[in-house]
Amino acid sequence: MSLKEDSEGKRSSHHSQLYTSIPRTCMPIVYHPDYNITFMGLEKLHPFDAGKWGKVIHFLKEEKFITDGSIVEALEATEEDLLVVHTKRYLNRLKAGKLAVDRGWAINVGGGFHHCSSDRGGGFCAYADITLAIKFLFERVEGISRATIIDLDAHQGNGHERDFLDDRRVFIMDMYNRYIYPGDGYAKRAIKRKVELDWGTEDSEYLQKVELHSEGALNEVRPDIIVYNAGTDILDGDPLGGLSISPQGIVKRDEIVFRAARRRDIPILMVTSGGYQKKTARIIADSILNLHQQGLIGAEALEGEGSSSLLTSMMCSSGSVGSKFTAV
C-alpha cells in the first residue's frame, strides 16, 4: 500500500489486495504458475531455464515438503501498487505483475529483479521487486524502519542500489564478479559492504567471504528485515556468472545467511534471482530442504493465523516476448 497526498495535503493510503492475511495452513513459500514463461517455443532461445520455478516446486512436492494447498499464491499487482516504486511513464511501457505477500521467514521461488530501478529496467529485469518489497514494509508495517539487502547473485545489484542511493534506512551488502555486467560505478556508491570477486572463485574462498561479510553487515547495522537475493548464477559452468561454486557450496551459502538471520531473530525474505543452467532448479529445492532440515525454516514461523504479513515480494510475468522476466 502506498501513501499519497490527498487534496488537503494529508497522506492517505491506497487500497491494495497485495497486503493480506495468510492462513496458518500456508507455508510462506510464494509461487504462481505464471512465473514459468512460454511463448510459442521462443523461450528456448533465451539462456535462462524458463520453467525453473515450476521445477523447484515440483521437487519440493516430491520431497513432501509442500503441497498445492500449502503454497502462498502470488497476487497480481495493480498499476497503483506499482506506482509505490515506479514512475507512470515507465509503467506505461510494461505489462502486469505478480506480487506475493508473506510473513515471518519467506522464500519467493521467483523474484530478485535486482537490475531494475524505479525508472528503468535492465539485465532481463522488468520490475524493481526488491525496492517495492522494502518500500511496502516501510510504509505499512509498524516497527520496520531499517532493511539490509544481502545480494549474492553473481552480478552487481545496481537497480536497488540506485533506488536506495541516498536512503540511510537501507544497508546494502553486494558480493559479485567484478568483471561482468553491469559494472555500474554510479550505483556502487550505495553499497555499504562491497565484495568484488575474481573469475573462477571457488567454494572455500567464496563461503569464507559470505560468512565474514554477512556477519559483518548484520553486526554493523541491525535491520528489522533482511532481503536476501540468492542467485544461483554463481554455479560452476554458468554462462553468465563466471564463478565456480559447487551445488553444495550454494546450499551452504544459503544456510550461512539464514543462520546469521536466525541467530539475531531478524525476519528474512529470500528471492532466487539469476541462474542459467538446467540443474539450478534442483539446487534451489535442495537448499530449501536443507534450510528446513537445519531448523532454519519451518512451521514454527507460521504462528498467528490471520495476522498481517511481514514480508512482501513482487514477481512479474507477461505474454510479451519483448519483456524480460528473470534477473542476472
Side-chain angles (χ1 to χ4, degrees):
M1 180 174 289
S2 68
L3 299 177
K4 303 186 297 183
E5 299 287 336
D6 63 18
S7 59
E8 298 180 355
K10 297 178 181 179
R11 303 191 83 191
S12 60
S13 300
H14 84 268
H15 175 71
S16 174
Q17 65 175 344
L18 300 173
Y19 195 84
T20 186
S21 297
I22 304 297
R24 291 180 62 183
T25 53
C26 289
M27 186 74 73
I29 292 179
V30 183
Y31 171 72
H32 194 284
D34 286 351
Y35 285 8
N36 303 293
I37 309 150
T38 58
F39 188 76
M40 301 173 63
L42 292 179
E43 69 278 1
K44 296 177 182 178
L45 301 177
H46 193 283
F48 185 72
D49 179 4
K52 179 176 78 169
W53 302 291
K55 293 175 184 176
V56 173
I57 294 298
H58 172 74
F59 292 140
L60 293 177
K61 287 179 181 177
E62 279 192 334
E63 298 293 336
K64 311 297 184 186
F65 181 61
I66 59 173
T67 64
D68 284 330
S70 67
I71 300 170
V72 177
E73 183 171 300
L75 300 175
E76 185 169 359
T78 66
E79 179 173 306
E80 196 170 10
D81 292 319
L82 295 172
L83 285 170
V84 169
V85 171
H86 291 292
T87 62
K88 196 171 186 72
R89 179 171 175 266
Y90 178 69
L91 289 180
N92 285 339
R93 303 199 302 267
L94 296 174
K95 301 285 185 175
K98 298 289 182 184
L99 192 66
V101 179
D102 38 72
R103 68 172 180 273
W105 64 269
I107 298 171
N108 191 331
V109 175
F113 300 129
H114 66 158
H115 298 308
C116 184
S117 60
S118 61
D119 63 351
R120 65 178 181 179
F124 312 146
C125 301
Y127 291 96
D129 61 332
I130 291 174
T131 302
L132 182 60
I134 292 172
K135 290 199 172 185
F136 260 62
L137 288 167
F138 284 166
E139 294 177 357
R140 294 231 32 191
V141 181
E142 185 177 355
I144 304 293
S145 60
R146 291 181 297 182
T148 289
I149 299 170
I150 298 179
D151 195 332
L152 300 186
D153 186 273
H155 301 76
Q156 176 200 352
N158 62 320
H160 58 73
E161 288 162 9
R162 283 175 171 264
D163 286 336
F164 293 120
L165 188 64
D166 299 314
D167 194 331
R168 294 185 178 181
R169 299 173 298 174
V170 181
F171 184 101
I172 299 175
M173 169 189 160
D174 200 348
M175 184 164 148
Y176 54 87
N177 184 338
R178 70 176 75 211
Y179 300 109
I180 60 176
Y181 177 88
D184 190 336
Y186 177 79
K188 286 181 184 180
R189 297 190 299 159
I191 304 173
K192 303 298 193 299
R193 187 170 283 255
K194 179 173 62 178
V195 188
E196 296 189 320
L197 303 173
D198 292 320
W199 291 109
T201 298
E202 297 180 347
D203 284 18
S204 178
E205 176 187 353
Y206 181 82
L207 293 174
Q208 183 180 34
K209 288 183 175 179
V210 169
E211 184 156 22
L212 173 66
H213 292 287
S214 295
E215 293 286 341
L218 296 175
N219 286 340
E220 188 169 344
V221 174
R222 182 182 177 87
D224 303 308
I225 180 70
I226 298 167
V227 178
Y228 171 39
N229 199 40
T232 48
D233 51 2
I234 63 171
L235 182 65
D236 186 28
D238 189 279
L240 299 180
L243 303 177
S244 299
I245 310 305
S246 71
Q248 296 78 17
I250 291 175
V251 171
K252 184 63 177 177
R253 174 199 67 174
D254 295 348
E255 180 184 328
I256 289 170
V257 176
F258 269 77
R259 196 172 295 282
R262 183 65 175 270
R263 190 180 300 120
R264 294 166 175 82
D265 197 27
I266 303 171
I268 181 169
L269 165 62
M270 171 177 159
V271 290
T272 60
S273 204
Y276 302 91
Q277 299 183 75
K278 297 291 185 183
K279 52 189 173 184
T280 59
R282 179 73 256 183
I283 296 169
I284 293 169
D286 286 344
S287 179
I288 293 171
L289 293 169
N290 178 65
L291 294 173
H292 177 61
Q293 291 162 5
Q294 297 296 323
L296 298 172
I297 63 173
E300 69 277 0
L302 301 177
E303 296 300 323
E305 182 175 8
S307 62
S308 294
S309 302
L310 287 177
L311 303 174
T312 310
S313 181
M314 196 270 295
M315 178 65 188
C316 71
S317 64
S318 168
S320 169
V321 74
S323 297
K324 303 300 185 181
F325 312 99
T326 188
V328 297

